[in-house]
Amino acid sequence: MQELTITRHNALIDPLLSIWSWQIPVYLFLGGLVAGIMIISGYFVLQGQYKKNVFSCFYLPHIALVLLSGGMGALFLDLEHKLYFWRLFTTFQVTAPMSWGSWLLMIVYPALWVNTLIRIPERYQGKVPIFDRWSAALNARPVLIKNIGIANMLLGTLLGMYTGVLLSSFGARPLWNSAMLWMLFLVSGLSAAAAFVHLITTDEYERELLAKADNAFLTLELFVFGGFITGLLTNSRVHKDAVHLLLDGPFAPYFWVLVIGMGVLLPLAIQLLAVNHKIKHTALAPLLVLAGGLALRFVIVFAGQFSRWS
Amino acid sequence: MARFGMAIDTVRCVGCMDCVVACKTENSVPEGFNRDWITTEVTGTFPTTHLEIRSERCNHCDDPPCVSCCPTGASHVHDLGAVVLVDADKCIGCKGCVASCPYGARFIHPDGYADKCTFCIHRVEQGLLPACVAVCPTHCMHFGDLDDPNSDVSTLLASRRHHVLLPDAGTKPRIYYLT
Ligand code: SF4
Ligand code: SF4
């Protein structure tokens, strides 16, 4: 028998840690989605698709800027000492992933913005003449455009990894303390981005391509889930206890039904039928992938806070 | 450089909570929050049960994850006694340090910054003991420099059996419990 009685009852700490609410899962989801969008749009730029009338190269960087700002807004809402947020940018703390992330975002913004200049959508052309001039200057330098594509892919990968590294660096929370978490969030971000483009594109080629890519990402995600779970199950007792929160504990219904069932398996099945021309492409599969990606962040952030050393 | 720590005698502690009240008064800890607290742990099977009463607080760890995860440097190791402190003017209230502490020693002050035990550094700088140590009626709490072999805490640790909390979490805590 072990019976603990503690006189402490600090808000948001006791009886179980609950410091992070909806803002952090939303921030991590949007960060992962933007990361995936940067990789996809960078890839299209690299492929020279920007020369054609293809949707992704036209609007994806613009949409990513809006989504990223939404994510940053959610993060800002979570801060308890909001007026001091500028302190993030007066220092660089080499051991703090959050510090790396803040500075990474400061590079991501200009990279996305330069990406928007490669092809200014027709209806915005002539509105800000200097942007048109910069766009023309960029288009006169194809090698530079390729490098912008590469930079977007690279920064997108780092951003996607960061969303996982941020959590896995907290050794005190055994569920997050997995070397697979960055991979899980990166693949999930790619899958969500592929689903997003699939959902909004008007181009048949892109829809087909992204649906196939998403099937690959979803399959890969299942393997990464396997690695994440076995890694924790074969670790110390606290890590085992932590992963049981998802497998058969209080978070199991959300994890199995929302994340795995409706977020991965069902859309994968639908999209496999669609790419094999058994059924038509519909919005259902990509919507499920996006909802599953969001549910994943919620489940991991909430269950992770519940996991602890004791 | 000194390395402050505590040795707390669980055999003497009766869980009277004077340390808790002293801390709240000395540091104006806001209502609903505690920088230190009492844990009562009963282990074993009747009739061979064992009772341990502990006065707990931030362990001022030698390898503090709350400091290494802080993105602004607000959480830092102070020059005096390697005490782990928070600079409220640098803290953005991201709560990373709260999540990183395996002991649940931190909380967010109603004014928005991370807060926790300071070993009463303002008193220690004046040559006084932390309020909790000074007020304890059973004299079960001892404070001093762990790097000084002649200090009260060092001699007690050399002569008494002791343990720390959650050693496997790897933070190298500096609050020792004498048993
Ligand atoms: S007990 Fe927690 S808050 Fe205190 S130094 Fe250790 S990790 Fe940091
Ligand atoms: S809450 Fe404050 S002290 Fe804690 S990690 Fe964030 S900025 Fe640092």
Side-chain angles (χ1 to χ4, degrees), chain A residues 98, chain B residues 66 69-75 86-87 90-98 106 108 112-114:
Chain A
M98 223 182 279
Chain B
C66 53
C69 82
C70 178
T72 64
S75 280
V86 180
D87 182 343
K90 284 189 184 169
C91 176
I92 57 171
C94 69
K95 296 169 276 191
C97 57
V98 181
R106 290 181 171 231
I108 295 295
Y113 55 85

Side-chain angles (χ1 to χ4, degrees), chain B residues 58-61 64-66 84 101-103 105-106 116:
Chain B
C58 164
N59 288 276
H60 295 274
C61 306
C66 53
V84 176
C101 174
Y103 303 97
R106 290 181 171 231
K116 66 169 198 70

